[in-house]
Amino acid sequence: MPERPYHHGNLRTELLAQAERTVRERGVQELSLRELARAVGVSHGAPRRHFADRQALLDALAEAGFARLGAELRGAVERVGEDFETRLRAAAAAYIRFATQDTALLELMFAGKHRDAPGAVYEASERAFSVLFELIEQGQSEGVLEPGQPERVGLVLFATIQGIAALVSGAMIAPEQVNELLADAIAHFLRGSRTAP
């Protein structure tokens, strides 16, 4: 059997895209450099030119996941204008969509962030979540949210939207209930975070 070629196009990008598909369809445990090489049609040694080992692949996948999450959050916020509450709802909905479509990837991303601090995965996570912190700062500057550390206020918001995503992923609520639940959650968050008159 002839040896498969090393390179065709942007191999690193293609390997990461295939790794993401594998994680989404079969889970992280099914991810291997050899299987990835087979899936994209290159020699079994070719991926090692980009990823020293499986852990390097997982870290790169987590970093790419945070980059995509950040882009999706920023895109959601930028598409809806300047109104704080509308932007908040858009960002929360974008996060829940990502978290429910890519549950296994998100789990990998958070595991990588905690293991990697303060490395590349951690920095990618900080950039992704900066969108939410910017929103909190906007709400605070407009007097809609209580003053204080944006990270602390943002943590309550994040816990809320992550909880909704977990309920959907765990099949405890139906996907069609998400919009209504999210609207209620944002309303409660805003009521609880408003500055006293």
Side-chain angles (χ1 to χ4, degrees):
M1 187 168 104
E3 179 74 1
R4 289 188 176 121
Y6 156 67
H7 189 72
H8 61 293
N10 189 340
L11 183 59
R12 187 178 193 279
T13 300
E14 193 166 340
L15 288 167
L16 285 172
Q18 180 58 46
E20 193 173 301
R21 281 191 294 276
T22 300
V23 168
R24 185 179 297 124
E25 294 165 9
R26 301 194 331 256
V28 175
Q29 70 282 355
E30 295 298 318
L31 201 55
S32 76
L33 290 172
R34 184 175 289 270
E35 180 58 37
L36 273 184
R38 186 178 304 115
V40 300
V42 296
S43 68
H44 70 271
R48 291 199 181 273
R49 297 187 189 203
H50 299 281
F51 310 107
D53 54 23
R54 183 176 185 271
Q55 190 57 58
L57 168 66
L58 294 176
D59 288 344
L61 188 56
E63 188 178 345
F66 277 120
R68 182 162 63 87
L69 173 60
E72 290 182 16
L73 291 172
R74 188 151 312 275
V77 165
E78 288 175 354
R79 279 190 296 274
V80 296
E82 295 301 316
D83 178 69
F84 169 69
E85 189 170 340
T86 304
R87 297 177 95 202
L88 188 62
R89 287 176 193 274
Y95 179 85
I96 291 170
R97 195 166 39 254
F98 183 97
T100 55
Q101 290 172 355
D102 283 302
T103 306
L105 175 61
L106 191 68
E107 189 175 312
L108 169 68
M109 288 158 57
F110 285 129
K113 172 189 170 186
H114 294 299
R115 195 192 60 261
D116 183 56
V121 177
Y122 182 84
E123 289 167 8
S125 76
E126 293 289 294
R127 284 190 299 275
F129 286 110
S130 69
V131 179
L132 295 180
F133 293 132
E134 288 166 16
L135 273 176
I136 298 301
E137 288 170 349
Q138 178 188 352
Q140 290 175 323
S141 71
E142 292 177 5
V144 178
L145 300 179
E146 62 186 325
Q149 296 176 332
E151 292 82 6
R152 187 169 178 181
V153 178
L155 194 55
V156 174
L157 172 65
F158 178 71
T160 302
I161 60 177
Q162 178 61 34
I164 293 171
L167 290 172
V168 175
S169 297
M172 290 180 263
I173 64 168
E176 56 270 15
Q177 294 176 279
V178 170
N179 289 340
E180 188 176 349
L181 181 57
L182 179 58
D184 289 347
I186 294 291
H188 286 293
F189 170 73
L190 291 173
R191 269 199 303 277
S193 301
R194 278 205 165 84
T195 52

